[in-house]
Amino acid sequence: MENNENLYCQLIDEDIKVSFNMKYSIDPQIWDYSSDKLCNSDPHFFTLKNFKIHLFSRSVELQKSRKNSVLKVLKEEALHLLHDSGIDGISRNVFNFYADKFGLDRYDKYIQAFEKYTGLQQKDYKVEIIGYMLHFHTENLIYEMDTYTGRSLLLEEIIKNKRYLDIMELTEVAMWSEIYDENIGKHNFLSKMSDEFEICLNDNFKRAGVLIKPNESIEKRKTEIRKMFQKFIDQSNKNINWIDLAWEISEEILFPLAVITMTSIFDLTIC
């Protein structure tokens, strides 16, 4: 927050910094100085949250494509999102950016459907973008609006990128349990799951957001996970659904690994 209580966005990449004015005045009483962000009572709380997530995602994409001057490109894109209607249009522009890319319905169609269903007006709710769906926050309830296409894209993304926490939180164990087929074959399943387990301990440990307890070392956490996987192997002789078994032993690690394993055997599209 700078002069005249205007909100600024600052982009930082190591020692390089760029900033620009969001052209939005905020009330100092609803600014959280401890975390340097807007309080959720502000009508644009989720708008700015959506904007931050989008900028982070785009920065990763730009870095992967080895573009030069990532911050410069990111700033230009951000200003373009603000160009037409300022902060009021950010959520719409961010969602449409992905809608056009993946063939989803555009933002305004979701808004029209929600208002027709609830009878609410824009002043009565705030919109939060979560993946390819919209959450409408009202005074008493949160409504989720999703589509088959959006759900399929989200599922493909979290499986492909091995996002364990999202697999656990955004999908239902009962769904995967029903898909599971005992005719997969023990050797085939365990062989592929062992490969995924090694990826988890090496390449994907930090990226997947594996939880580390306070005062716990990474090596100690890995040792615990190895013991859980050995327990899974020891109990796999039982006449039990292996998806359920993985969930019972470790819903945050083994369950996602079992899901990723099964989708690699059956093919994610079929699942």
Side-chain angles (χ1 to χ4, degrees), residues 130-201:
I130 299 182
Y132 303 98
M133 75 174 88
L134 297 182
H135 280 198
F136 293 84
H137 294 251
T138 68
E139 185 176 357
N140 299 314
L141 294 172
I142 300 175
Y143 295 84
E144 294 181 10
M145 184 174 291
D146 202 356
T147 62
Y148 177 83
T149 303
R151 176 60 60 172
S152 299
L153 287 168
L154 178 63
L155 184 60
E156 181 179 351
E157 182 177 300
I158 63 178
I159 296 290
K160 180 180 178 181
N161 293 302
K162 305 181 190 299
R163 287 162 43 185
Y164 305 151
L165 188 61
D166 285 336
I167 294 172
M168 179 186 75
E169 292 185 344
L170 300 179
T171 71
E172 295 290 337
V173 62
M175 174 185 75
W176 298 116
S177 180
E178 187 172 339
I179 294 172
Y180 173 80
D181 188 334
E182 62 184 13
N183 294 318
I184 287 176
K186 176 180 178 180
H187 177 75
N188 187 24
F189 194 98
L190 286 183
S191 175
K192 289 183 178 296
M193 190 163 171
S194 294
D195 291 340
E196 289 297 335
F197 179 72
E198 291 304 318
I199 292 174
C200 169
L201 290 186

Coordinates of all heavy atoms in Angstrom, one line a residue, residues 130-201:
I130 N -11.5 -21.2 -8.5 CA -10.7 -22.3 -8.1 C -10.5 -23.3 -9.2 O -11.5 -24.0 -9.6 CB -11.3 -23.0 -6.8 CG1 -11.5 -22.0 -5.7 CG2 -10.6 -24.2 -6.4 CD1 -12.1 -22.6 -4.4
G131 N -9.3 -23.3 -9.8 CA -9.1 -24.2 -10.9 C -10.0 -23.8 -12.1 O -9.9 -22.7 -12.6
Y132 N -10.9 -24.7 -12.5 CA -11.8 -24.4 -13.6 C -13.2 -24.3 -13.1 O -14.1 -24.5 -13.9 CB -11.6 -25.6 -14.6 CG -10.2 -25.8 -15.1 CD1 -9.4 -26.7 -14.6 CD2 -9.7 -24.9 -16.1 CE1 -8.1 -26.9 -15.0 CE2 -8.4 -25.1 -16.5 CZ -7.6 -26.0 -16.0 OH -6.3 -26.2 -16.4
M133 N -13.4 -24.0 -11.9 CA -14.8 -23.8 -11.3 C -14.8 -22.4 -10.6 O -13.8 -21.8 -10.4 CB -15.1 -24.9 -10.4 CG -14.5 -24.8 -9.0 SD -15.1 -26.1 -7.9 CE -14.0 -27.4 -8.3
L134 N -16.1 -22.0 -10.3 CA -16.3 -20.8 -9.6 C -17.0 -21.1 -8.3 O -17.9 -21.9 -8.2 CB -17.2 -19.8 -10.4 CG -16.6 -19.3 -11.7 CD1 -17.6 -18.3 -12.4 CD2 -15.2 -18.6 -11.6
H135 N -16.5 -20.4 -7.2 CA -17.2 -20.4 -5.9 C -17.8 -19.1 -5.7 O -17.2 -18.0 -5.8 CB -16.2 -20.7 -4.8 CG -15.8 -22.2 -4.7 ND1 -15.3 -22.7 -3.5 CD2 -16.0 -23.2 -5.5 CE1 -15.1 -24.0 -3.7 NE2 -15.5 -24.3 -4.9
F136 N -19.1 -19.1 -5.4 CA -19.9 -17.9 -5.1 C -20.1 -17.7 -3.6 O -20.8 -18.6 -3.0 CB -21.2 -17.9 -5.8 CG -21.1 -17.8 -7.3 CD1 -20.9 -19.0 -8.1 CD2 -21.2 -16.6 -8.0 CE1 -20.7 -18.9 -9.5 CE2 -21.0 -16.5 -9.4 CZ -20.8 -17.7 -10.1
H137 N -19.4 -16.8 -3.0 CA -19.5 -16.6 -1.5 C -20.7 -15.6 -1.3 O -20.6 -14.4 -1.6 CB -18.2 -16.0 -1.0 CG -17.1 -17.0 -1.1 ND1 -16.5 -17.6 0.0 CD2 -16.4 -17.5 -2.2 CE1 -15.6 -18.4 -0.4 NE2 -15.5 -18.3 -1.7
T138 N -21.7 -16.0 -0.6 CA -22.8 -15.2 -0.1 C -22.7 -15.0 1.4 O -21.8 -15.5 2.0 CB -24.1 -15.8 -0.5 OG1 -24.4 -16.9 0.3 CG2 -24.2 -16.1 -2.0
E139 N -23.6 -14.3 1.9 CA -23.6 -14.0 3.4 C -23.6 -15.3 4.2 O -22.9 -15.4 5.2 CB -24.7 -13.1 3.8 CG -24.7 -12.7 5.2 CD -25.8 -11.7 5.6 OE1 -26.6 -11.3 4.7 OE2 -25.9 -11.3 6.8
N140 N -24.4 -16.3 3.7 CA -24.6 -17.5 4.5 C -24.1 -18.8 3.9 O -23.8 -19.8 4.6 CB -26.1 -17.7 4.9 CG -26.6 -16.5 5.7 OD1 -26.0 -16.1 6.6 ND2 -27.8 -16.0 5.3
L141 N -23.9 -18.8 2.6 CA -23.6 -20.0 1.9 C -22.5 -19.8 0.8 O -22.2 -18.7 0.4 CB -24.8 -20.6 1.1 CG -26.0 -21.0 2.0 CD1 -27.2 -21.3 1.1 CD2 -25.6 -22.3 2.8
I142 N -21.8 -20.9 0.5 CA -20.9 -20.9 -0.6 C -21.4 -21.8 -1.7 O -21.6 -23.0 -1.4 CB -19.5 -21.3 -0.2 CG1 -18.9 -20.4 0.9 CG2 -18.5 -21.4 -1.4 CD1 -17.6 -20.8 1.4
Y143 N -21.6 -21.3 -2.9 CA -22.1 -22.1 -4.0 C -20.9 -22.5 -4.9 O -20.1 -21.7 -5.2 CB -23.1 -21.4 -4.8 CG -24.4 -21.1 -4.1 CD1 -24.5 -19.9 -3.3 CD2 -25.6 -21.8 -4.3 CE1 -25.7 -19.6 -2.7 CE2 -26.7 -21.5 -3.6 CZ -26.8 -20.4 -2.8 OH -28.0 -20.1 -2.2
E144 N -20.9 -23.8 -5.3 CA -19.9 -24.2 -6.3 C -20.5 -24.4 -7.7 O -21.6 -25.0 -7.8 CB -19.2 -25.5 -5.9 CG -18.4 -25.5 -4.6 CD -17.8 -26.8 -4.2 OE1 -17.8 -27.7 -5.1 OE2 -17.3 -26.9 -3.1
M145 N -19.9 -23.8 -8.7 CA -20.4 -24.0 -10.0 C -19.3 -24.6 -10.9 O -18.2 -24.0 -11.0 CB -20.9 -22.7 -10.6 CG -21.6 -22.9 -12.0 SD -22.3 -21.4 -12.7 CE -23.7 -21.2 -11.5
D146 N -19.6 -25.7 -11.5 CA -18.6 -26.5 -12.3 C -19.2 -27.0 -13.5 O -20.4 -27.0 -13.7 CB -18.0 -27.6 -11.4 CG -16.7 -28.1 -11.9 OD1 -16.2 -27.6 -12.9 OD2 -16.1 -29.0 -11.2
T147 N -18.4 -27.5 -14.4 CA -18.9 -28.1 -15.7 C -18.1 -29.5 -15.9 O -17.0 -29.7 -15.3 CB -18.6 -27.3 -16.9 OG1 -17.2 -27.1 -17.1 CG2 -19.3 -25.9 -16.8
Y148 N -18.6 -30.3 -16.7 CA -18.0 -31.6 -17.0 C -16.6 -31.3 -17.6 O -15.6 -31.9 -17.2 CB -18.8 -32.4 -17.9 CG -18.1 -33.7 -18.3 CD1 -18.2 -34.8 -17.5 CD2 -17.4 -33.8 -19.5 CE1 -17.6 -36.0 -17.9 CE2 -16.8 -35.0 -19.9 CZ -16.9 -36.1 -19.1 OH -16.2 -37.2 -19.4
T149 N -16.5 -30.4 -18.5 CA -15.3 -30.0 -19.2 C -14.3 -29.5 -18.2 O -13.1 -29.9 -18.2 CB -15.5 -29.0 -20.3 OG1 -16.4 -29.5 -21.2 CG2 -14.2 -28.7 -21.0
G150 N -14.7 -28.6 -17.3 CA -13.8 -28.0 -16.3 C -13.3 -29.1 -15.3 O -12.1 -29.1 -15.0
R151 N -14.2 -30.0 -14.9 CA -13.8 -31.0 -14.0 C -12.8 -32.0 -14.6 O -11.8 -32.4 -14.0 CB -15.0 -31.8 -13.5 CG -14.8 -32.9 -12.6 CD -14.1 -32.6 -11.3 NE -14.8 -31.6 -10.5 CZ -14.4 -31.3 -9.3 NH1 -13.3 -31.8 -8.7 NH2 -15.1 -30.4 -8.6
S152 N -13.0 -32.3 -15.9 CA -12.1 -33.2 -16.6 C -10.7 -32.6 -16.7 O -9.7 -33.2 -16.6 CB -12.7 -33.5 -18.0 OG -13.9 -34.2 -17.9
L153 N -10.7 -31.3 -17.0 CA -9.4 -30.6 -17.2 C -8.6 -30.5 -15.8 O -7.4 -30.7 -15.8 CB -9.6 -29.1 -17.7 CG -10.0 -29.0 -19.1 CD1 -10.5 -27.6 -19.4 CD2 -8.8 -29.3 -20.0
L154 N -9.4 -30.2 -14.8 CA -8.8 -30.2 -13.4 C -8.2 -31.6 -13.1 O -7.1 -31.7 -12.6 CB -9.8 -29.8 -12.4 CG -9.3 -29.7 -11.0 CD1 -8.2 -28.7 -10.8 CD2 -10.4 -29.4 -10.0
L155 N -9.0 -32.6 -13.3 CA -8.5 -34.0 -13.0 C -7.2 -34.3 -13.8 O -6.3 -34.8 -13.2 CB -9.6 -34.9 -13.3 CG -9.4 -36.4 -13.0 CD1 -9.2 -36.6 -11.5 CD2 -10.6 -37.3 -13.4
E156 N -7.3 -34.0 -15.1 CA -6.1 -34.3 -15.9 C -4.9 -33.5 -15.4 O -3.7 -34.1 -15.3 CB -6.4 -33.8 -17.3 CG -5.2 -34.1 -18.3 CD -5.6 -33.7 -19.7 OE1 -6.7 -33.4 -20.0 OE2 -4.6 -33.7 -20.6
E157 N -5.1 -32.3 -15.0 CA -3.9 -31.4 -14.5 C -3.3 -32.0 -13.2 O -2.1 -32.1 -13.1 CB -4.4 -30.0 -14.3 CG -3.3 -29.0 -13.9 CD -3.9 -27.6 -13.8 OE1 -4.3 -27.1 -14.8 OE2 -3.8 -27.1 -12.7
I158 N -4.2 -32.3 -12.2 CA -3.6 -32.7 -10.9 C -3.0 -34.1 -11.0 O -2.0 -34.4 -10.3 CB -4.7 -32.7 -9.8 CG1 -5.8 -33.7 -10.1 CG2 -5.2 -31.3 -9.6 CD1 -6.9 -33.7 -9.0
I159 N -3.5 -35.0 -11.9 CA -2.9 -36.3 -12.1 C -1.5 -36.2 -12.8 O -0.5 -36.7 -12.4 CB -3.8 -37.2 -12.9 CG1 -5.1 -37.5 -12.1 CG2 -3.1 -38.6 -13.2 CD1 -4.9 -38.4 -10.9
K160 N -1.6 -35.4 -13.9 CA -0.4 -35.2 -14.8 C 0.8 -34.6 -14.0 O 1.9 -35.0 -14.1 CB -0.7 -34.4 -16.0 CG 0.5 -34.1 -16.9 CD 0.1 -33.3 -18.1 CE 1.3 -33.0 -19.0 NZ 0.9 -32.1 -20.1
N161 N 0.5 -33.6 -13.1 CA 1.5 -32.9 -12.3 C 1.7 -33.6 -10.9 O 2.4 -33.0 -10.1 CB 1.1 -31.5 -12.2 CG 1.2 -30.7 -13.5 OD1 2.2 -30.7 -14.2 ND2 0.0 -30.2 -13.9
K162 N 1.1 -34.7 -10.7 CA 1.3 -35.5 -9.5 C 1.1 -34.6 -8.2 O 1.9 -34.5 -7.3 CB 2.7 -36.1 -9.5 CG 2.9 -37.0 -10.7 CD 4.3 -37.6 -10.6 CE 4.7 -38.3 -11.9 NZ 3.8 -39.4 -12.3
R163 N -0.1 -33.9 -8.2 CA -0.4 -33.0 -7.1 C -1.1 -33.8 -6.0 O -2.4 -33.8 -6.0 CB -1.2 -31.8 -7.6 CG -0.3 -30.8 -8.4 CD -1.1 -29.8 -9.3 NE -2.2 -29.3 -8.7 CZ -3.1 -28.5 -9.3 NH1 -2.9 -28.2 -10.6 NH2 -4.2 -28.0 -8.7
Y164 N -0.4 -34.4 -5.1 CA -1.0 -35.3 -4.2 C -2.1 -34.7 -3.3 O -3.2 -35.3 -3.1 CB 0.1 -35.9 -3.2 CG 1.3 -36.5 -3.9 CD1 2.6 -36.5 -3.3 CD2 1.2 -37.1 -5.1 CE1 3.7 -37.1 -3.9 CE2 2.3 -37.7 -5.7 CZ 3.5 -37.7 -5.1 OH 4.6 -38.2 -5.7
L165 N -1.8 -33.5 -2.8 CA -2.8 -32.9 -1.9 C -4.1 -32.6 -2.6 O -5.2 -32.8 -2.1 CB -2.2 -31.6 -1.3 CG -3.1 -30.9 -0.2 CD1 -3.2 -31.8 1.0 CD2 -2.4 -29.6 0.2
D166 N -4.0 -32.2 -3.9 CA -5.2 -31.9 -4.7 C -6.0 -33.2 -5.0 O -7.2 -33.2 -5.0 CB -4.9 -31.1 -5.9 CG -4.5 -29.7 -5.7 OD1 -5.0 -29.2 -4.6 OD2 -3.8 -29.1 -6.5
I167 N -5.3 -34.3 -5.3 CA -5.9 -35.5 -5.6 C -6.7 -36.0 -4.3 O -7.8 -36.5 -4.4 CB -4.9 -36.6 -5.9 CG1 -4.2 -36.3 -7.3 CG2 -5.5 -38.0 -6.0 CD1 -3.1 -37.2 -7.7
M168 N -6.1 -35.8 -3.1 CA -6.8 -36.2 -1.9 C -8.0 -35.3 -1.6 O -9.1 -35.8 -1.2 CB -5.8 -36.1 -0.7 CG -6.4 -36.5 0.6 SD -5.3 -36.2 2.0 CE -5.4 -34.4 2.1
E169 N -7.9 -34.0 -1.8 CA -8.9 -33.0 -1.4 C -10.0 -32.8 -2.5 O -11.1 -32.5 -2.1 CB -8.3 -31.7 -1.0 CG -7.4 -31.7 0.2 CD -6.9 -30.4 0.6 OE1 -7.0 -29.4 -0.2 OE2 -6.5 -30.2 1.8
L170 N -9.6 -32.9 -3.7 CA -10.6 -32.5 -4.8 C -11.2 -33.7 -5.5 O -12.1 -33.5 -6.4 CB -9.8 -31.7 -5.9 CG -9.2 -30.4 -5.3 CD1 -8.5 -29.6 -6.5 CD2 -10.3 -29.5 -4.7
T171 N -10.8 -34.9 -5.2 CA -11.5 -36.1 -5.7 C -12.0 -37.0 -4.6 O -11.6 -36.9 -3.5 CB -10.6 -36.9 -6.7 OG1 -9.6 -37.6 -5.9 CG2 -9.9 -36.0 -7.7
E172 N -12.9 -37.9 -4.9 CA -13.5 -38.8 -3.9 C -12.9 -40.2 -4.0 O -12.8 -40.8 -5.1 CB -15.0 -38.9 -4.2 CG -15.8 -37.6 -4.0 CD -15.9 -37.2 -2.6 OE1 -15.8 -38.0 -1.7 OE2 -16.1 -36.0 -2.3
V173 N -12.5 -40.7 -2.8 CA -11.9 -42.0 -2.8 C -12.9 -43.1 -3.3 O -12.5 -44.0 -3.9 CB -11.5 -42.4 -1.3 CG1 -12.7 -42.3 -0.4 CG2 -10.8 -43.7 -1.3
A174 N -14.2 -42.8 -3.0 CA -15.3 -43.8 -3.5 C -15.3 -43.9 -5.0 O -15.5 -45.0 -5.5 CB -16.6 -43.4 -3.0
M175 N -15.0 -42.8 -5.7 CA -15.0 -42.8 -7.2 C -13.9 -43.7 -7.7 O -14.1 -44.6 -8.5 CB -14.8 -41.4 -7.7 CG -14.6 -41.3 -9.2 SD -14.2 -39.6 -9.7 CE -12.5 -39.5 -9.2
W176 N -12.6 -43.5 -7.1 CA -11.5 -44.3 -7.6 C -11.7 -45.8 -7.1 O -11.2 -46.7 -7.8 CB -10.2 -43.8 -7.0 CG -9.9 -42.4 -7.4 CD1 -9.9 -41.2 -6.6 CD2 -9.6 -41.9 -8.7 NE1 -9.6 -40.1 -7.4 CE2 -9.4 -40.5 -8.7 CE3 -9.5 -42.6 -10.0 CZ2 -9.1 -39.8 -9.8 CZ3 -9.2 -41.8 -11.1 CH2 -9.0 -40.5 -11.0
S177 N -12.3 -46.0 -6.0 CA -12.5 -47.3 -5.4 C -13.4 -48.1 -6.4 O -13.2 -49.3 -6.6 CB -13.1 -47.3 -4.0 OG -13.3 -48.6 -3.5
E178 N -14.4 -47.4 -6.9 CA -15.3 -48.1 -7.8 C -14.7 -48.5 -9.2 O -14.9 -49.5 -9.8 CB -16.5 -47.2 -8.1 CG -17.6 -47.9 -8.9 CD -18.9 -47.1 -8.9 OE1 -19.1 -46.2 -8.0 OE2 -19.7 -47.3 -9.8
I179 N -13.7 -47.6 -9.6 CA -13.0 -47.8 -10.9 C -12.1 -49.0 -10.8 O -11.8 -49.7 -11.7 CB -12.3 -46.5 -11.3 CG1 -13.3 -45.4 -11.7 CG2 -11.4 -46.8 -12.5 CD1 -12.7 -44.1 -11.9
Y180 N -11.5 -49.1 -9.6 CA -10.5 -50.2 -9.4 C -11.0 -51.6 -9.8 O -12.1 -51.9 -9.5 CB -10.1 -50.2 -7.9 CG -9.1 -51.3 -7.5 CD1 -7.8 -51.2 -7.8 CD2 -9.6 -52.5 -6.9 CE1 -6.9 -52.3 -7.5 CE2 -8.8 -53.5 -6.6 CZ -7.4 -53.4 -6.9 OH -6.6 -54.5 -6.6
D181 N -10.1 -52.3 -10.4 CA -10.4 -53.6 -10.9 C -9.3 -54.6 -10.4 O -8.2 -54.4 -10.7 CB -10.5 -53.7 -12.4 CG -11.0 -55.0 -13.0 OD1 -10.8 -56.0 -12.3 OD2 -11.5 -55.0 -14.1
E182 N -9.7 -55.6 -9.6 CA -8.8 -56.5 -9.0 C -8.0 -57.3 -10.1 O -7.0 -57.9 -9.8 CB -9.5 -57.5 -8.1 CG -10.5 -58.3 -8.7 CD -11.3 -59.2 -7.7 OE1 -11.1 -58.9 -6.5 OE2 -12.0 -60.1 -8.1
N183 N -8.5 -57.3 -11.3 CA -7.9 -58.1 -12.4 C -6.7 -57.3 -13.0 O -6.0 -57.8 -13.9 CB -8.9 -58.4 -13.5 CG -9.9 -59.3 -13.1 OD1 -9.7 -60.3 -12.4 ND2 -11.2 -59.1 -13.5
I184 N -6.4 -56.1 -12.4 CA -5.2 -55.4 -12.9 C -4.0 -56.3 -12.7 O -3.1 -56.3 -13.6 CB -5.0 -54.1 -12.0 CG1 -6.0 -53.1 -12.4 CG2 -3.6 -53.5 -12.2 CD1 -5.9 -51.8 -11.5
G185 N -3.9 -57.0 -11.7 CA -2.7 -57.9 -11.4 C -1.8 -57.3 -10.4 O -1.4 -56.1 -10.6
K186 N -1.5 -58.0 -9.4 CA -0.7 -57.5 -8.3 C 0.7 -57.1 -8.7 O 1.1 -56.0 -8.4 CB -0.5 -58.6 -7.2 CG 0.4 -58.2 -6.1 CD 0.5 -59.4 -5.0 CE 1.4 -58.9 -3.9 NZ 1.6 -60.0 -2.9
H187 N 1.4 -57.9 -9.5 CA 2.7 -57.6 -10.0 C 2.7 -56.3 -10.8 O 3.6 -55.4 -10.5 CB 3.3 -58.7 -10.8 CG 4.7 -58.4 -11.3 ND1 5.8 -58.4 -10.5 CD2 5.1 -58.0 -12.6 CE1 6.9 -58.1 -11.2 NE2 6.5 -57.9 -12.5
N188 N 1.8 -56.1 -11.7 CA 1.7 -54.9 -12.5 C 1.5 -53.7 -11.7 O 2.2 -52.7 -11.9 CB 0.6 -55.1 -13.6 CG 0.6 -54.0 -14.6 OD1 1.6 -53.3 -14.8 ND2 -0.5 -53.8 -15.2
F189 N 0.5 -53.8 -10.8 CA 0.2 -52.6 -10.0 C 1.3 -52.2 -9.1 O 1.7 -51.1 -9.0 CB -1.1 -52.9 -9.1 CG -1.7 -51.7 -8.5 CD1 -2.8 -51.1 -9.1 CD2 -1.2 -51.2 -7.3 CE1 -3.4 -50.0 -8.6 CE2 -1.8 -50.0 -6.8 CZ -2.9 -49.5 -7.4
L190 N 1.9 -53.2 -8.3 CA 3.0 -52.9 -7.4 C 4.2 -52.4 -8.1 O 4.9 -51.5 -7.6 CB 3.3 -54.1 -6.5 CG 2.3 -54.5 -5.4 CD1 2.8 -55.7 -4.6 CD2 2.0 -53.3 -4.5
S191 N 4.5 -52.9 -9.3 CA 5.7 -52.5 -10.0 C 5.5 -51.0 -10.4 O 6.5 -50.2 -10.2 CB 5.8 -53.3 -11.3 OG 6.9 -52.9 -12.1
K192 N 4.4 -50.6 -10.9 CA 4.2 -49.2 -11.3 C 4.1 -48.3 -10.1 O 4.6 -47.2 -10.1 CB 2.9 -49.1 -12.2 CG 3.1 -49.7 -13.6 CD 1.8 -49.5 -14.4 CE 2.0 -50.1 -15.8 NZ 3.1 -49.4 -16.6
M193 N 3.5 -48.8 -9.0 CA 3.3 -48.0 -7.8 C 4.7 -47.8 -7.2 O 5.0 -46.7 -6.6 CB 2.4 -48.6 -6.9 CG 2.0 -47.6 -5.7 SD 0.5 -48.2 -4.8 CE 0.6 -47.0 -3.4
S194 N 5.6 -48.8 -7.3 CA 6.9 -48.6 -6.8 C 7.7 -47.6 -7.5 O 8.5 -46.8 -6.9 CB 7.7 -50.0 -6.9 OG 7.1 -50.9 -6.0
D195 N 7.5 -47.5 -8.8 CA 8.1 -46.5 -9.6 C 7.6 -45.1 -9.2 O 8.4 -44.1 -9.1 CB 7.8 -46.7 -11.1 CG 8.5 -47.9 -11.7 OD1 9.5 -48.4 -11.0 OD2 8.1 -48.4 -12.7
E196 N 6.3 -45.0 -9.0 CA 5.7 -43.7 -8.5 C 6.2 -43.3 -7.2 O 6.4 -42.1 -6.8 CB 4.2 -43.8 -8.5 CG 3.6 -43.8 -9.9 CD 3.8 -42.5 -10.7 OE1 4.1 -41.5 -10.1 OE2 3.8 -42.6 -12.0
F197 N 6.4 -44.3 -6.3 CA 6.9 -44.1 -5.0 C 8.3 -43.5 -5.0 O 8.7 -42.6 -4.3 CB 6.9 -45.4 -4.2 CG 7.5 -45.3 -2.8 CD1 6.7 -44.7 -1.8 CD2 8.7 -45.8 -2.5 CE1 7.2 -44.6 -0.5 CE2 9.2 -45.7 -1.2 CZ 8.4 -45.1 -0.2
E198 N 9.2 -44.0 -5.9 CA 10.5 -43.4 -6.0 C 10.5 -42.0 -6.5 O 11.3 -41.2 -6.1 CB 11.4 -44.3 -7.0 CG 11.7 -45.7 -6.4 CD 12.4 -45.6 -5.1 OE1 13.3 -44.7 -4.9 OE2 12.1 -46.4 -4.1
I199 N 9.6 -41.7 -7.5 CA 9.4 -40.3 -7.9 C 9.0 -39.4 -6.8 O 9.5 -38.3 -6.7 CB 8.3 -40.3 -9.1 CG1 8.9 -41.0 -10.3 CG2 8.0 -38.9 -9.4 CD1 7.8 -41.1 -11.4
C200 N 8.1 -40.0 -5.9 CA 7.7 -39.2 -4.8 C 8.8 -38.8 -3.9 O 9.0 -37.7 -3.5 CB 6.6 -40.0 -4.0 SG 6.2 -39.3 -2.4
L201 N 9.7 -39.8 -3.6 CA 10.8 -39.6 -2.6 C 11.9 -38.7 -3.3 O 12.6 -38.0 -2.5 CB 11.4 -40.9 -2.2 CG 10.5 -41.7 -1.3 CD1 11.3 -42.9 -0.8 CD2 10.0 -41.0 -0.1

